[in-house]
Structures are given as structure tokens and as C-alpha cells.
Amino acid sequence: MSLSQTLFTPSFISSISNELRIPHPRPVLSYPRTQTNRILCAAKRTGKRRYPSERKKLRTEQKEAAAKVKNKLEGVWRLSKLGVPVGDDPGKDSLGISEGLLQAIAKVIEFPILKEAKFVYTVDLDVKTLLELEPRAHDFIFRLEPKLGLVEHISPEKTVSGDLISVVNECRRVNSDAAAGEHEPVVINGNGGGGRSKPRVAVVGGGPSGLFAALVLAEFGADVTLIERGQAVEERGRDIGALVVRKILDMESNFCFGEGGAGTWSDGKLVTRIGKNSATVLAVLKTLVRFGAPDNILVNGKPHLGTDKLIPLLRNFRHYLQSAGVNIKFGTRVDDLLVEDSRVVGVRVSDSADKLQSSSQDLKFDAVVLAVGHSARDTYEMLLSRNVELTPKDFAVGLRVEHPQELINSIQYSDLASEVRKGRGKVPVADYKVVQYVNDKDEDVSQSSSKRSCYSFCMCPGGQVVLTSTNPNELCINGMSFSRRSSKWANAALVVTVSAKDFDLLNLTGPLAGIEFQREFERRAAIMGGGDFTVPVQRVTDFLQSKLSETPLPSSSYRLGVKSANLHELFPAHITDSLRQSLSMFEKELPGFISEEALLHGVETRTSSPVRIPRSNETYESTSLKGLYPVGEGAGYAGGIVSAAVDGMFSGFAVAKHFNLFDGAIESIIGKAQGAGLVKY
């Protein structure tokens, strides 16, 4: 029996009365009637149609009624005028609580557990197409008015009709028609001899931001070289297989480094907070569809690909870039920037397998787009040595919690949980997203009580916990899943925000303090696990009670081995207390979340970049080094596949505009970019 049935059984109801109301015309009398002058009373005015004096009187009566209630937990609450459609009611002879009546009760008292599960749609009504199909709809369209949160009008200039390639080609056509050769591409350094007009641009990093920056620049006609320290997805898959099966870590080709970036062997989420129906996001999603993503990502409320769909997509993306003239260098690490007169003129690269950099060579470029991702710690150190301005950035750390997926399905869907069927049923595999704020009362952390954000991150329904270390002496983890999300586990990071005041407690200062903070706890986790990539784990219930979990432990999806450990001793006390408080709060949101079957894994530190590289909001160029364009998650301006791709796309337009390959305002084509430092993940 569901909770809704338990709460509203007949034994809890002292009396029920029902009435069938059927709208029908007033009967016509057959005998003659005397004609008299009558004043007909208007129907009772309700809702917004009430006169102001009536609304004021009603509010007064409601306040008086509320004041008369002495104890809400005693007596009877009478619910009147509960209308139930005939088709949803068992009829006049029934005194039971039907499903239709339950829904009417839920609607009146706004009781969330009784609300019916619904699929919610957003529909774009194309006026031109509608009028072509039905010209008589003109008056209907003319009468439409915006309704806040329900009906919105989007002007034609804010709609995107095609993918990014089509958008760029349209820009080039417009430029060609308008300028007719007025602007010639410019070259700053003049490298490569006389007569060359194409600007040479290096894009460092093959994640979403790097790929989309390279795509835009190549389409505008720049000479693009894409440099990626990791391997192409085919070789990268073999390297990850060696790690998972034989515990062999390739420090340059792994879950973090390689074609597609860290998101390739993750959950492949395309959810973003920068506007899932915005023109910029739609341009990215339509481009992914062009390269092999399923069409449903254009309409799903929570679009998701999964690693199995990302691999062929990235292969198609690569082949297109190569056909457009992009030179792709895999297994190539950027060791240094070449700088002359405070301007980047190229990069120094070496074979990423060459630890001594004996194979290094200098490559000259007119601009460098830096899209290295959040784990390129050696790159941050190199930039600091070049006096490139870096600033520490808040991020989040914590543990990854794993439950049986059936438990999460049951918590979220109740009776509908049986419809999930490992991703093949009518209802999607259940996920969750919870955010809480807890009071930070530790006087060593803050002079006054403050709020610390605690939230679930990168929730992977039907997924598994994976290793994301890039150094064998450090241990950090993440979650991933395939497109079907059919595994028996659900995992998510349970994290709290950390900032400079947390770094100070460990005597960590400077622009790279956040990186050292990450390293400290990744090393602690490695020691707790006992080495060899074994992950320290603890039951949620034991974490709350500060005791070591006894074996046997709940099953874990992590394939390299787990070990019972005192994870409550991993972080400083104020972080551990915040995690405990948030767990208790999550239990209120998701009853059953705190369970003997729930297992915490340590440690999750790479939720986002701990560093930001300041840049111009308009040109995307570094504020401290000309010719350098820091973009994406590694530069501190994105978080996730879609926002990183959008940032790379805008940076590509900005660089193209700098070299006069593009003359116009991108905002007029696909909307406005997020401002620096204001990007929503």
C-alpha cells in the first residue's frame, strides 16, 4: 500500500458526502407564462474576476478563520467542493476513497505525495509553418498573449535553425555579401613566409571547449592545429581498459586526458544551467546530432549520451575536423608557451610519453586557445612561471555515495518504480539532485557563522564509480554510466564548497592553493585505501556514527577494489560536519537515502577547476598575456559538456573576429554569452 493510500483510508474520514454536477440547459416549460420584467443576477464572480472589495473581504474572512484554529494537529479538517470527473469516480453507491478523489484532495491541500506523476513538455509552435498548414489560424495566433512561465514569444532572430556548421556558413555568406572583400584576414606574427593570409591558431585540449573552438575557427578558414596530450578515443579506450583490468595507469591517457576530455568516460550528461532551450545550447546539441548523437537530445528534459554513444560521435567529429583541414596531434603535450614582447607566438611541445621532454620542438602560431581541462596541473604551473595571471577559485570536495538503483527508483517513483526496467521501460531510470545549505560555526574557519553549500554532483543513475587519478600516488574518483543506464547501482558525489579560508587552515596560499588542497586529500585517500588504487569506503550509517564499517560491506561498482576505512577522519572536522548535516537534510528530501546499503567512497575532489585564468569578457583574450585565449572548464568558465562547448564556440567566434575572419556580432545570431565569472554550470 502506498503512503497516499495509508494516509487517506476511510477509517480516517468521519463523513463523506458526494454530489454529481452535470452542466445542462435549463428545461423549457411547455405552458404559457406571464411576461414580466425581471432583473437577472449575474453569476457569482470568482478568482481574479472578484471585485477588489470582495477580495478584501475574503482575505479578512480567511485571517479570522485561521485565527480560530487552536491546534492544527487535533480535530478534523473538512475539505469541501472536491470535484471529481465522472470517469474517475466509482459512482454514487461508493463511499470509498477513489484515486480520483485522492487527486482532488491533493490539489486542494497541496499535498505533494499525492500529486500524480507527469511528463512535462516544452513545445515550440512555429507560426509560419502553422499558418501555411492552416491559414484560418491567423486570428488565433493574433489573440495569443504571453503568460509568465507558460507562454513565451521568441523573436525570429533568437532562434537557431541549424547546427554550428550551418550557423558559421550563414555568417560567412552574410559577410561575403555585405563586405565583398572589404576586410582581409590579418596575421600578427607573419610566421611561415610571405603570401600567407590564413592566421595560424593552436587549440590546446581536445575536450568540448577545444573541439568547438577548433570547429568554428576551421569553418571560418583559419589554419588550425589541435593539440591533445592524450590519445584518440580508440587508443584511449585500450589505456582505460589496462587501468581497470590490470591497474596500469597511463598518466597521459586515462579517464581525465584524451579525446573528448574528462566527460567522455563519464555520464555524458548534456544538462546545463545556462538555458537548455537557449539558442547557444541548441546550436551545440544540433551539432552533436550532426555527428551521431540521437535526435532525442533535442527534446529530452535531461539529455544524456553515455560513453558508448560519445565514442563514435567523437570519431565522427574528428574526421570532420580533419576534412576541414585541422591538423590533430594526439599524444602531444604542451610544455611551454613561446612569448615575445608580452605576446604568445607559439608553443613548445613534446611527445607526452617522453617524461624528459627530449623530443621537444617549437611550433609558431598567431594565437593559442587554451582548453586544457580541470586536471592539467602541470599547465597551471607553467602558466604561473610565465607570469600569466591566475586566481584561486571556489570548488567542492567530498565523497561519492552509492545506492542500489532499485532503492533510488523506489524513493523517487514509489509504485511507478516497476516501470523503470533498467532503462527499457516507460519511466526513465530514477536520478536525484539535492542542494542544502548548512551553518558553518567553526570559528577557525570563519569569524562569524556562515552558510556552506552542500549538494549532490554528477549523479549517475545505473552507473559505476571509476578512478580519475592522474598520478599513482593520488586517489580520486568520479562516476560514469552508459546510455542505457542499466547497472544495478546509482552513485553521486556528495560535496561541500571550499574556498580560500579552507586552504588557509592547511597553510596553503597563492593562486594554486586549491590544487594543493586537492592533492592533500587525494594522497590521504590513497593511504587510507592501502595503495594500488584501492578505494576507502564506509557505510553512510557508520560515517554518521564515526565508526569503522564491519565486513562484509555492501557491494560496490568500483572494479579495482574497496577497503573499509574511517572516512570521517579524512577531511577536517568542519567539512566532515557539513557532510553529516547535509546527509541528514537529504534524508528529509529523500526518505531512505540514509541506508545500510548506502556506501561512501573517497575521495571526490575534481568537481571543477580550482583556478580561474582572467580574460576579457568581450575578446576572450587573457588579461595578462596577449594572444592567449583561456576557455572552458580548465580556465574556470564552464562546468560540464554543454557549457564547455558553448564557451569554446564563443571563443572561436572571438578569435575569428580578431583576425577579421568574421565581421559581426555573434549575439545577433545565437544569443549572448555568459559573462566572465558568471557562468552557471
Side-chain angles (χ1 to χ4, degrees), residues 367-404:
V368 174
V369 176
L370 195 67
V372 294
H374 60 48
S375 290
R377 294 168 172 174
D378 52 351
T379 302
Y380 294 134
E381 293 168 355
M382 178 271 290
L383 294 173
L384 196 61
S385 71
R386 281 290 180 183
N387 295 319
V388 175
E389 183 182 3
L390 305 175
T391 59
K393 179 176 126 330
D394 293 358
F395 58 103
V397 299
L399 306 168
R400 186 158 282 266
V401 61
E402 186 168 67
H403 296 80

mmCIF file of all heavy atoms in Angstrom, residues 367-404:
data_model
loop_
_atom_site.group_PDB
_atom_site.id
_atom_site.type_symbol
_atom_site.label_atom_id
_atom_site.label_comp_id
_atom_site.label_asym_id
_atom_site.label_seq_id
_atom_site.Cartn_x
_atom_site.Cartn_y
_atom_site.Cartn_z
ATOM 1 N N ALA A 367 47.949 32.698 -32.473
ATOM 2 C CA ALA A 367 47.119 32.722 -31.269
ATOM 3 C C ALA A 367 47.062 31.314 -30.705
ATOM 4 O O ALA A 367 47.205 30.327 -31.436
ATOM 5 C CB ALA A 367 45.708 33.232 -31.567
ATOM 6 N N VAL A 368 46.838 31.239 -29.390
ATOM 7 C CA VAL A 368 46.729 29.947 -28.713
ATOM 8 C C VAL A 368 45.446 29.935 -27.891
ATOM 9 O O VAL A 368 45.262 30.770 -26.997
ATOM 10 C CB VAL A 368 47.940 29.675 -27.795
ATOM 11 C CG1 VAL A 368 47.728 28.394 -26.994
ATOM 12 C CG2 VAL A 368 49.225 29.591 -28.607
ATOM 13 N N VAL A 369 44.545 29.014 -28.226
ATOM 14 C CA VAL A 369 43.329 28.793 -27.439
ATOM 15 C C VAL A 369 43.644 27.705 -26.423
ATOM 16 O O VAL A 369 43.975 26.577 -26.795
ATOM 17 C CB VAL A 369 42.148 28.372 -28.333
ATOM 18 C CG1 VAL A 369 40.922 28.056 -27.475
ATOM 19 C CG2 VAL A 369 41.831 29.456 -29.348
ATOM 20 N N LEU A 370 43.558 28.041 -25.146
ATOM 21 C CA LEU A 370 43.945 27.122 -24.079
ATOM 22 C C LEU A 370 42.692 26.483 -23.487
ATOM 23 O O LEU A 370 41.936 27.121 -22.768
ATOM 24 C CB LEU A 370 44.729 27.876 -23.006
ATOM 25 C CG LEU A 370 45.508 27.034 -22.002
ATOM 26 C CD1 LEU A 370 46.651 26.294 -22.696
ATOM 27 C CD2 LEU A 370 46.059 27.908 -20.886
ATOM 28 N N ALA A 371 42.482 25.210 -23.790
ATOM 29 C CA ALA A 371 41.278 24.493 -23.354
ATOM 30 C C ALA A 371 41.700 23.168 -22.728
ATOM 31 O O ALA A 371 41.346 22.092 -23.198
ATOM 32 C CB ALA A 371 40.347 24.258 -24.539
ATOM 33 N N VAL A 372 42.460 23.245 -21.627
ATOM 34 C CA VAL A 372 43.173 22.073 -21.117
ATOM 35 C C VAL A 372 42.391 21.237 -20.112
ATOM 36 O O VAL A 372 42.848 20.173 -19.714
ATOM 37 C CB VAL A 372 44.510 22.495 -20.478
ATOM 38 C CG1 VAL A 372 45.448 23.050 -21.534
ATOM 39 C CG2 VAL A 372 44.289 23.522 -19.368
ATOM 40 N N GLY A 373 41.233 21.678 -19.627
ATOM 41 C CA GLY A 373 40.501 20.897 -18.642
ATOM 42 C C GLY A 373 40.986 21.147 -17.226
ATOM 43 O O GLY A 373 42.026 21.766 -17.000
ATOM 44 N N HIS A 374 40.230 20.618 -16.245
ATOM 45 C CA HIS A 374 40.498 20.974 -14.849
ATOM 46 C C HIS A 374 41.618 20.167 -14.192
ATOM 47 O O HIS A 374 41.958 20.411 -13.037
ATOM 48 C CB HIS A 374 39.226 20.848 -14.013
ATOM 49 C CG HIS A 374 38.613 19.469 -13.986
ATOM 50 N ND1 HIS A 374 39.327 18.321 -13.757
ATOM 51 C CD2 HIS A 374 37.316 19.065 -14.151
ATOM 52 C CE1 HIS A 374 38.530 17.271 -13.766
ATOM 53 N NE2 HIS A 374 37.301 17.695 -14.019
ATOM 54 N N SER A 375 42.191 19.181 -14.888
ATOM 55 C CA SER A 375 43.205 18.339 -14.253
ATOM 56 C C SER A 375 44.611 18.558 -14.794
ATOM 57 O O SER A 375 45.533 17.825 -14.416
ATOM 58 C CB SER A 375 42.823 16.855 -14.414
ATOM 59 O OG SER A 375 41.691 16.547 -13.633
ATOM 60 N N ALA A 376 44.798 19.558 -15.665
ATOM 61 C CA ALA A 376 46.126 19.826 -16.244
ATOM 62 C C ALA A 376 46.956 20.663 -15.270
ATOM 63 O O ALA A 376 47.256 21.832 -15.516
ATOM 64 C CB ALA A 376 45.976 20.520 -17.594
ATOM 65 N N ARG A 377 47.346 20.078 -14.155
ATOM 66 C CA ARG A 377 48.031 20.816 -13.098
ATOM 67 C C ARG A 377 49.402 21.316 -13.534
ATOM 68 O O ARG A 377 49.834 22.399 -13.134
ATOM 69 C CB ARG A 377 48.152 19.920 -11.863
ATOM 70 C CG ARG A 377 46.794 19.602 -11.236
ATOM 71 C CD ARG A 377 46.875 18.503 -10.202
ATOM 72 N NE ARG A 377 45.603 18.351 -9.485
ATOM 73 C CZ ARG A 377 45.361 17.381 -8.609
ATOM 74 N NH1 ARG A 377 46.309 16.469 -8.357
ATOM 75 N NH2 ARG A 377 44.193 17.315 -7.995
ATOM 76 N N ASP A 378 50.091 20.541 -14.365
ATOM 77 C CA ASP A 378 51.404 20.986 -14.839
ATOM 78 C C ASP A 378 51.275 22.216 -15.733
ATOM 79 O O ASP A 378 52.166 23.085 -15.749
ATOM 80 C CB ASP A 378 52.126 19.861 -15.584
ATOM 81 C CG ASP A 378 51.281 19.240 -16.695
ATOM 82 O OD1 ASP A 378 50.073 19.549 -16.789
ATOM 83 O OD2 ASP A 378 51.833 18.430 -17.464
ATOM 84 N N THR A 379 50.147 22.324 -16.452
ATOM 85 C CA THR A 379 49.926 23.505 -17.294
ATOM 86 C C THR A 379 49.740 24.748 -16.444
ATOM 87 O O THR A 379 50.263 25.827 -16.762
ATOM 88 C CB THR A 379 48.701 23.300 -18.208
ATOM 89 O OG1 THR A 379 48.912 22.141 -19.020
ATOM 90 C CG2 THR A 379 48.471 24.501 -19.099
ATOM 91 N N TYR A 380 48.991 24.642 -15.344
ATOM 92 C CA TYR A 380 48.824 25.780 -14.438
ATOM 93 C C TYR A 380 50.176 26.239 -13.891
ATOM 94 O O TYR A 380 50.453 27.442 -13.790
ATOM 95 C CB TYR A 380 47.910 25.403 -13.266
ATOM 96 C CG TYR A 380 46.477 25.115 -13.637
ATOM 97 C CD1 TYR A 380 45.819 23.998 -13.129
ATOM 98 C CD2 TYR A 380 45.759 25.963 -14.484
ATOM 99 C CE1 TYR A 380 44.495 23.730 -13.450
ATOM 100 C CE2 TYR A 380 44.442 25.706 -14.806
ATOM 101 C CZ TYR A 380 43.810 24.572 -14.289
ATOM 102 O OH TYR A 380 42.509 24.317 -14.609
ATOM 103 N N GLU A 381 51.019 25.291 -13.535
ATOM 104 C CA GLU A 381 52.344 25.636 -13.004
ATOM 105 C C GLU A 381 53.188 26.336 -14.064
ATOM 106 O O GLU A 381 53.912 27.297 -13.775
ATOM 107 C CB GLU A 381 53.044 24.374 -12.501
ATOM 108 C CG GLU A 381 52.367 23.764 -11.275
ATOM 109 C CD GLU A 381 52.862 22.369 -10.948
ATOM 110 O OE1 GLU A 381 53.671 21.829 -11.743
ATOM 111 O OE2 GLU A 381 52.451 21.808 -9.910
ATOM 112 N N MET A 382 53.088 25.866 -15.304
ATOM 113 C CA MET A 382 53.808 26.508 -16.404
ATOM 114 C C MET A 382 53.315 27.935 -16.620
ATOM 115 O O MET A 382 54.112 28.871 -16.798
ATOM 116 C CB MET A 382 53.642 25.677 -17.679
ATOM 117 C CG MET A 382 54.303 26.269 -18.921
ATOM 118 S SD MET A 382 53.213 27.390 -19.856
ATOM 119 C CE MET A 382 52.030 26.228 -20.520
ATOM 120 N N LEU A 383 51.997 28.123 -16.594
ATOM 121 C CA LEU A 383 51.448 29.467 -16.781
ATOM 122 C C LEU A 383 51.914 30.410 -15.682
ATOM 123 O O LEU A 383 52.228 31.581 -15.944
ATOM 124 C CB LEU A 383 49.915 29.406 -16.801
ATOM 125 C CG LEU A 383 49.269 28.674 -17.971
ATOM 126 C CD1 LEU A 383 47.763 28.544 -17.757
ATOM 127 C CD2 LEU A 383 49.544 29.392 -19.291
ATOM 128 N N LEU A 384 51.973 29.914 -14.467
ATOM 129 C CA LEU A 384 52.425 30.739 -13.349
ATOM 130 C C LEU A 384 53.879 31.150 -13.543
ATOM 131 O O LEU A 384 54.261 32.296 -13.255
ATOM 132 C CB LEU A 384 52.256 29.968 -12.041
ATOM 133 C CG LEU A 384 52.304 30.787 -10.748
ATOM 134 C CD1 LEU A 384 51.189 31.826 -10.722
ATOM 135 C CD2 LEU A 384 52.199 29.861 -9.531
ATOM 136 N N SER A 385 54.686 30.242 -14.062
ATOM 137 C CA SER A 385 56.098 30.581 -14.312
ATOM 138 C C SER A 385 56.236 31.620 -15.425
ATOM 139 O O SER A 385 57.250 32.323 -15.491
ATOM 140 C CB SER A 385 56.880 29.318 -14.685
ATOM 141 O OG SER A 385 56.518 28.848 -15.983
ATOM 142 N N ARG A 386 55.217 31.723 -16.270
ATOM 143 C CA ARG A 386 55.211 32.708 -17.355
ATOM 144 C C ARG A 386 54.517 34.009 -16.943
ATOM 145 O O ARG A 386 54.248 34.861 -17.779
ATOM 146 C CB ARG A 386 54.497 32.123 -18.582
ATOM 147 C CG ARG A 386 55.362 31.156 -19.394
ATOM 148 C CD ARG A 386 56.454 31.919 -20.101
ATOM 149 N NE ARG A 386 57.326 31.072 -20.894
ATOM 150 C CZ ARG A 386 58.384 31.527 -21.545
ATOM 151 N NH1 ARG A 386 58.691 32.825 -21.490
ATOM 152 N NH2 ARG A 386 59.144 30.725 -22.232
ATOM 153 N N ASN A 387 54.215 34.123 -15.656
ATOM 154 C CA ASN A 387 53.570 35.326 -15.098
ATOM 155 C C ASN A 387 52.178 35.573 -15.681
ATOM 156 O O ASN A 387 51.708 36.717 -15.728
ATOM 157 C CB ASN A 387 54.448 36.565 -15.314
ATOM 158 C CG ASN A 387 55.758 36.476 -14.553
ATOM 159 O OD1 ASN A 387 55.790 36.026 -13.409
ATOM 160 N ND2 ASN A 387 56.845 36.887 -15.205
ATOM 161 N N VAL A 388 51.530 34.492 -16.117
ATOM 162 C CA VAL A 388 50.135 34.608 -16.530
ATOM 163 C C VAL A 388 49.292 34.698 -15.258
ATOM 164 O O VAL A 388 49.470 33.925 -14.322
ATOM 165 C CB VAL A 388 49.699 33.399 -17.374
ATOM 166 C CG1 VAL A 388 48.203 33.465 -17.687
ATOM 167 C CG2 VAL A 388 50.507 33.341 -18.661
ATOM 168 N N GLU A 389 48.388 35.661 -15.227
ATOM 169 C CA GLU A 389 47.577 35.854 -14.028
ATOM 170 C C GLU A 389 46.646 34.664 -13.808
ATOM 171 O O GLU A 389 45.891 34.257 -14.686
ATOM 172 C CB GLU A 389 46.747 37.134 -14.145
ATOM 173 C CG GLU A 389 45.940 37.438 -12.890
ATOM 174 C CD GLU A 389 45.072 38.670 -13.023
ATOM 175 O OE1 GLU A 389 45.048 39.269 -14.120
ATOM 176 O OE2 GLU A 389 44.401 39.025 -12.031
ATOM 177 N N LEU A 390 46.708 34.100 -12.600
ATOM 178 C CA LEU A 390 45.826 33.027 -12.168
ATOM 179 C C LEU A 390 45.211 33.427 -10.837
ATOM 180 O O LEU A 390 45.876 34.034 -9.997
ATOM 181 C CB LEU A 390 46.583 31.702 -11.993
ATOM 182 C CG LEU A 390 47.403 31.169 -13.170
ATOM 183 C CD1 LEU A 390 48.173 29.926 -12.746
ATOM 184 C CD2 LEU A 390 46.503 30.849 -14.346
ATOM 185 N N THR A 391 43.962 33.080 -10.634
ATOM 186 C CA THR A 391 43.326 33.380 -9.360
ATOM 187 C C THR A 391 42.695 32.100 -8.811
ATOM 188 O O THR A 391 42.136 31.304 -9.576
ATOM 189 C CB THR A 391 42.236 34.462 -9.502
ATOM 190 O OG1 THR A 391 41.239 33.999 -10.423
ATOM 191 C CG2 THR A 391 42.825 35.757 -10.010
ATOM 192 N N PRO A 392 42.784 31.882 -7.491
ATOM 193 C CA PRO A 392 42.132 30.694 -6.920
ATOM 194 C C PRO A 392 40.622 30.819 -7.022
ATOM 195 O O PRO A 392 40.070 31.913 -6.966
ATOM 196 C CB PRO A 392 42.605 30.695 -5.462
ATOM 197 C CG PRO A 392 42.992 32.106 -5.187
ATOM 198 C CD PRO A 392 43.469 32.686 -6.476
ATOM 199 N N LYS A 393 39.961 29.702 -7.171
ATOM 200 C CA LYS A 393 38.510 29.671 -7.369
ATOM 201 C C LYS A 393 37.885 28.660 -6.416
ATOM 202 O O LYS A 393 38.452 27.601 -6.149
ATOM 203 C CB LYS A 393 38.211 29.307 -8.824
ATOM 204 C CG LYS A 393 36.762 29.214 -9.200
ATOM 205 C CD LYS A 393 36.647 28.943 -10.679
ATOM 206 C CE LYS A 393 35.836 27.774 -11.101
ATOM 207 N NZ LYS A 393 35.706 26.624 -10.299
ATOM 208 N N ASP A 394 36.708 29.009 -5.905
ATOM 209 C CA ASP A 394 35.977 28.058 -5.065
ATOM 210 C C ASP A 394 35.611 26.825 -5.882
ATOM 211 O O ASP A 394 35.332 26.908 -7.085
ATOM 212 C CB ASP A 394 34.699 28.692 -4.527
ATOM 213 C CG ASP A 394 34.959 29.834 -3.551
ATOM 214 O OD1 ASP A 394 36.150 30.109 -3.266
ATOM 215 O OD2 ASP A 394 33.992 30.462 -3.098
ATOM 216 N N PHE A 395 35.608 25.688 -5.233
ATOM 217 C CA PHE A 395 35.127 24.461 -5.868
ATOM 218 C C PHE A 395 34.523 23.595 -4.769
ATOM 219 O O PHE A 395 34.144 24.120 -3.717
ATOM 220 C CB PHE A 395 36.243 23.751 -6.644
ATOM 221 C CG PHE A 395 37.443 23.367 -5.817
ATOM 222 C CD1 PHE A 395 37.646 22.054 -5.414
ATOM 223 C CD2 PHE A 395 38.398 24.312 -5.439
ATOM 224 C CE1 PHE A 395 38.747 21.691 -4.653
ATOM 225 C CE2 PHE A 395 39.516 23.957 -4.692
ATOM 226 C CZ PHE A 395 39.681 22.642 -4.292
ATOM 227 N N ALA A 396 34.387 22.309 -4.981
ATOM 228 C CA ALA A 396 33.741 21.457 -3.983
ATOM 229 C C ALA A 396 34.489 20.143 -3.851
ATOM 230 O O ALA A 396 35.065 19.629 -4.815
ATOM 231 C CB ALA A 396 32.281 21.205 -4.359
ATOM 232 N N VAL A 397 34.487 19.598 -2.648
ATOM 233 C CA VAL A 397 35.106 18.304 -2.376
ATOM 234 C C VAL A 397 34.154 17.473 -1.532
ATOM 235 O O VAL A 397 33.257 17.997 -0.880
ATOM 236 C CB VAL A 397 36.460 18.447 -1.644
ATOM 237 C CG1 VAL A 397 37.457 19.232 -2.474
ATOM 238 C CG2 VAL A 397 36.273 19.103 -0.267
ATOM 239 N N GLY A 398 34.370 16.166 -1.543
ATOM 240 C CA GLY A 398 33.527 15.313 -0.726
ATOM 241 C C GLY A 398 33.746 13.852 -1.037
ATOM 242 O O GLY A 398 34.861 13.420 -1.367
ATOM 243 N N LEU A 399 32.672 13.092 -0.956
ATOM 244 C CA LEU A 399 32.703 11.648 -1.133
ATOM 245 C C LEU A 399 31.647 11.258 -2.160
ATOM 246 O O LEU A 399 30.699 12.000 -2.399
ATOM 247 C CB LEU A 399 32.411 10.947 0.201
ATOM 248 C CG LEU A 399 33.297 11.373 1.376
ATOM 249 C CD1 LEU A 399 32.727 10.840 2.686
ATOM 250 C CD2 LEU A 399 34.727 10.893 1.182
ATOM 251 N N ARG A 400 31.828 10.092 -2.760
ATOM 252 C CA ARG A 400 30.818 9.608 -3.710
ATOM 253 C C ARG A 400 29.985 8.535 -3.018
ATOM 254 O O ARG A 400 30.520 7.554 -2.509
ATOM 255 C CB ARG A 400 31.476 9.078 -4.988
ATOM 256 C CG ARG A 400 30.459 8.709 -6.070
ATOM 257 C CD ARG A 400 31.067 8.708 -7.448
ATOM 258 N NE ARG A 400 31.219 10.067 -7.962
ATOM 259 C CZ ARG A 400 30.350 10.708 -8.725
ATOM 260 N NH1 ARG A 400 29.210 10.116 -9.060
ATOM 261 N NH2 ARG A 400 30.586 11.926 -9.146
ATOM 262 N N VAL A 401 28.669 8.751 -3.014
ATOM 263 C CA VAL A 401 27.759 7.827 -2.341
ATOM 264 C C VAL A 401 27.076 6.944 -3.380
ATOM 265 O O VAL A 401 26.687 7.408 -4.451
ATOM 266 C CB VAL A 401 26.719 8.605 -1.500
ATOM 267 C CG1 VAL A 401 25.869 9.522 -2.379
ATOM 268 C CG2 VAL A 401 25.847 7.648 -0.705
ATOM 269 N N GLU A 402 26.977 5.659 -3.048
ATOM 270 C CA GLU A 402 26.382 4.701 -3.980
ATOM 271 C C GLU A 402 25.265 3.925 -3.286
ATOM 272 O O GLU A 402 25.416 3.474 -2.145
ATOM 273 C CB GLU A 402 27.445 3.742 -4.501
ATOM 274 C CG GLU A 402 26.960 2.802 -5.586
ATOM 275 C CD GLU A 402 28.098 2.068 -6.267
ATOM 276 O OE1 GLU A 402 28.737 1.237 -5.597
ATOM 277 O OE2 GLU A 402 28.352 2.334 -7.461
ATOM 278 N N HIS A 403 24.127 3.803 -3.978
ATOM 279 C CA HIS A 403 22.971 3.047 -3.507
ATOM 280 C C HIS A 403 22.604 2.001 -4.564
ATOM 281 O O HIS A 403 22.947 2.158 -5.744
ATOM 282 C CB HIS A 403 21.739 3.945 -3.320
ATOM 283 C CG HIS A 403 21.857 4.992 -2.269
ATOM 284 N ND1 HIS A 403 22.529 6.186 -2.481
ATOM 285 C CD2 HIS A 403 21.370 5.051 -1.006
ATOM 286 C CE1 HIS A 403 22.452 6.930 -1.384
ATOM 287 N NE2 HIS A 403 21.750 6.271 -0.476
ATOM 288 N N PRO A 404 21.855 0.982 -4.174
ATOM 289 C CA PRO A 404 21.224 0.139 -5.202
ATOM 290 C C PRO A 404 20.257 0.994 -6.029
ATOM 291 O O PRO A 404 19.485 1.773 -5.471
ATOM 292 C CB PRO A 404 20.471 -0.913 -4.379
ATOM 293 C CG PRO A 404 21.154 -0.937 -3.049
ATOM 294 C CD PRO A 404 21.608 0.475 -2.806
#
